[in-house]
Each structure stands twice: as C-alpha cells, then as structure tokens.
Amino acid sequence: MSRLTIAAPFIVAALGALLLVLLRGAVPFPLVSDNAYFLPASWWMAETGQLANPWLQPGFNEALNWHGFLQPWLVGGLSGLLGGGWTGTYGAINLLAALTVLSVALAARGLGLSPLRAAALVLVAIALMLDARSRPEVLATAQDVGLVWLAAGLARRFPQGLWHGAGIGALMAALAATHPAVAVFSGFAVAAFLAVEVLRRRPSPGSLAALALAMIAGFVLVAALLLAAVFGPAPLTWLTGLADAARITLARTDAQGLLRYFLANRFLPGFGLLALPLVAAAWSASLPPRFTHWRWLRVALALAIGLAGGFLLYRQALRIPATYYNFTGVLVALGLMAALRAHGRWRWPVDAALMTLGLAALAGIGLWSAQALAERPLIAPSRLQLAQAVASDHAARRRICADAAVLAALDDPELARSVHLSLRLAQAPGAPDPALCDVHYQLQASGGSAATPVTGFLAADAAEQVSPFARLGLRPSHFGFTRWLPQPAPSAAQPGDQP
C-alpha cells in the first residue's frame, strides 16, 4: 500500500477543514430555519455574555434552555477569541466543524479502518457539516465518534476498562448537553453494547458493579460541571425548559417530506436508503455465533435491540421527517460501527454503502462549492447595503420587522435587538403584522428577481441579485433583499360617491 493511499483520509480531512474554514468563512450560510435559533444565541453570548436567543417567543427567550446548550456556549466563547461579531461567530462554528472532520479521520484510522473506508467516512462527515451548519450535530458527531472509540477500547478489556467506562459516562453527559435526541440514540446503543457483552462474557457481579459506578461517576461529574458553568445556581432551568420544548416538539404533526429529507438531501443525496446496510451491520453485532452458550437468550436480546432501535428511529426521526438531523447526528458513528463489522457476509454490503455514500457526499460538496464560489463576490456589497437600509430605518424610529436571516448583516447588538422576528419554537415563523411593523425586510429566497408577496405589505425597494443556481432552487448565501411597507388602508367612501 502506497504512502499516498495510507494518507488519503487525512488529506481529504485537511482539504475538508480548509473548505469549511476558508470558503464557508467567506460565504456564510444564511440564518434560516434552525440556524435562526442556534447561531444568534452564540452571537448574543459573544456580544453580551448571555447565552440566549432574545428573538424567540416569550418563555424561551431568556436562556438557551430549549435544546442542548453546550455547542452554542462553546461557539459563543470561541467567537470572542476570534474577534467577536458575526465574523467571529461564523469563524467559531466553522472551526468546530473542521475539528470534527479531522476527528473522524483520526478515529477511523485509529480503529483500524482501511484508508478507502476511512476516506469515504470523512467525505460523509464534511457533507454533514455543511448540512448541519450551526445545528448541534456539528459537535455531537465528534462526541459520538469518541463514544465508538471508547466502546471499542472497553470491548477489548471488558469489564476491566474502568477508565474507558468513566470516559463513556463523561461523553454521554456532554452529548446530552449538546444534542438530547442524539444522546437518546447513543445511550440506547451503549446500553445494548453492555447487555451483549454481559451475556457474552458473563463477568462477576463485582467487576460489573465497578464498571457501572465508573460510568455513573463520569456522567454525574461532567453533567454537574457543565450545568454549573452555564446555568450557575439554577441548573433546573435547563431541565424544565427542555421538558417544555419536548412537549411542543412531540405535539408536532408535520409528517410530510420523507423523500425530500431522507433521499433528496442536497449535501448527502440518498443517505436514508444507503444507511440501511450500515444499520443492519451494526445491529448484527448483537447476534450470537451459531454455537454458543445461552444462544436463545442472546437471540431474544438481539430481537429486542432491533425492535427498540426501530421504534426509536421512527420516534426520533421518521415520524417528523423534518427532524432527519437526529439521525444524521449518529450517521458517521454508525458508519464506523458498521465498518468494524465489514468482514464475512457484511463486507460487500457495507463497503458498497460506504463507497456510495462517499460519492454522494462528494457530489453534494461539489455543488455547494460551485454555488459558494459563484456567490462570493455578492456577499460583502449586499450585506453592507442591507445593514445601511436597516440602520436608516432604525434612525428614523420605524418599527422594523424582518426575516431572521437579516440578523447576520447587523453587527450592532442594540440595532439587532430592535428588529422584531417571528421565531416560534417548533413552528414555522409567522407572517409580519402590518399593525406592528412600519417596515419589513425579506431576504431573497431564490435567485429570481420576483419577491414572494407579503400579505398586507407593498414592495418599496428591492436589492436582489440574480443567481445562476436559481433554476436548481438553491437558497442564496448573499443578502439580496426586498423592503416592504404596510399597504395603505382603503379610504372610506364619501357621501355622494357613485357605487
């Protein structure tokens, strides 16, 4: 095997890290959808010291207690070291994504994957970082990879690997503070792994109890430190807010879009189908050999793991297809586990799935890069034009409403805080109310010149840009916008007017 082949995963990871830090740093992703919820919280923390998204609906706008807090907290702290402002905040999330990609390369080769398999997983990680943008899958992916690494080490020493057990507990606490839904998947996987190992090796009760205590100690210690660092004397703030947000999410009924989210993903097309062999291969680790002690008990355990895992997958990702990211958060770790099983009957299905996923990721990365290079010259002038227009309306004491994406053009926290956004947790943003807004800013959603009409408003000014990617339906990264004014009320009929 040549040196170039051996180095391939690290070369791909280095190129991906540069792509995330340099090119995406020059072409920041727009604050739309979930990015309007997470990244403004990091920016607000960097600017004010408070981890909150003040534009969220009342009850969720005082602290980031409606989801995992660790990634926005880290990004907000790192942003200050990178100069602050939106430049520092985008730089921090891009740097974190680059480190995650590098961690995948190190873990894949460290666990013994072939260079080709490792390079394919690295490509998948790069595509998922582009897709995640500022969602907590960025950090959760690295944490899940760390869990696979520690579990592989524990499997070689089970049940004697107390430090590995403590590390797994600590990482589970950090993952829960980062991405609670992914932590549910990972916690289930850890529990299944332990149950299989107990039946396979039948350790003494004392050694098993020591391992369990090490895991619990690691979890409790890290959870306590993180909650104290972020929420101080009120750690229950996060737990109560998370429970309220979970009730809202579980009540969602938007069950459409399975094909769109799992097969037509622009960064990783077809991943929902290609992941099936990886799921099957990972599950096969729970199956016993043909001749073994307690075979039927282990078969029953494997069936229970399969049924429970399928239910979790449906509940956490498939029931509401728009939450597909709960599954992509574990996809790289799943690929690692499947690749470790890629021998015998599983070799060809796993290799075919990994290679095809790698090619799909390469296509998604290429499409994004082409769009980014085409739109890069439009970023700075369109951002400046939008910022000047909003500042002018603010100086004139107009009540400003806007799409959340407008925030990334405003470096002044006071000016940004004066803008009213319709950010409803787990719901689509509401339309602006002409009775509450003297002006509304709508960012360009496609490359065409025609803005989507806003009920109750008339277009006053437009600064839209034509994008060569409009026909593909791709949202632009630049700040082309339309400025809307409330539609005048119809004048009342005067006496004597003809009908």
Side-chain angles (χ1 to χ4, degrees), residues 102-178:
L102 293 172
S103 75
V104 172
L106 290 170
R109 290 296 289 143
L111 289 171
L113 268 65
S114 69
L116 193 57
R117 291 170 181 158
L121 272 178
V122 170
L123 284 171
V124 171
I126 297 169
L128 291 179
M129 293 303 99
L130 291 172
D131 183 43
R133 302 173 181 91
S134 65
R135 278 198 54 84
E137 293 84 57
V138 174
L139 180 58
T141 295
Q143 292 167 330
D144 252 349
V145 166
L147 283 173
V148 175
W149 177 286
L150 288 171
L154 178 59
R156 291 191 294 269
R157 298 169 176 84
F158 190 87
Q160 301 302 320
L162 297 184
W163 285 110
H164 286 81
I168 288 173
L171 258 183
M172 279 302 307
L175 181 57
T178 301

Side-chain angles (χ1 to χ4, degrees), residues 146-329:
L147 283 173
V148 175
W149 177 286
L150 288 171
L154 178 59
R156 291 191 294 269
R157 298 169 176 84
F158 190 87
Q160 301 302 320
L162 297 184
W163 285 110
H164 286 81
I168 288 173
L171 258 183
M172 279 302 307
L175 181 57
T178 301
H179 201 314
V182 169
V184 171
F185 279 129
S186 301
F188 169 76
V190 169
F193 160 72
L194 292 174
V196 170
E197 289 299 310
V198 167
L199 281 183
R200 187 165 73 92
R201 305 200 186 191
R202 290 172 288 173
S204 67
S207 60
L208 190 60
L211 179 61
L213 287 175
M215 287 184 168
I216 293 171
F219 184 94
V220 171
L221 178 62
V222 171
L225 289 174
L226 290 176
L227 288 172
V230 178
F231 296 101
L236 291 180
T237 299
W238 180 57
L239 297 177
T240 54
L242 197 64
D244 291 339
R247 281 193 290 270
I248 293 174
T249 301
L250 290 174
R252 291 174 62 175
T253 58
D254 47 325
Q256 296 79 32
L258 186 66
L259 296 181
R260 170 192 171 191
Y261 290 108
F262 282 85
L263 294 182
N265 184 289
R266 63 166 292 191
F267 295 101
L268 196 57
F271 80 87
L273 186 62
L274 295 171
L276 293 178
L278 306 183
V279 172
W283 172 76
S284 72
S286 64
L287 291 172
R290 179 168 297 179
F291 301 104
T292 184
H293 293 291
W294 297 356
R295 172 175 170 77
W296 295 111
L297 183 58
R298 290 185 59 179
V299 169
L301 176 62
L303 291 175
I305 289 172
L307 291 173
F311 173 77
L312 278 180
L313 180 60
Y314 166 76
R315 192 68 181 172
Q316 297 283 75
L318 297 176
R319 184 180 73 90
I320 306 296
T323 60
Y324 73 97
Y325 41 73
N326 292 337
F327 179 65
T328 58

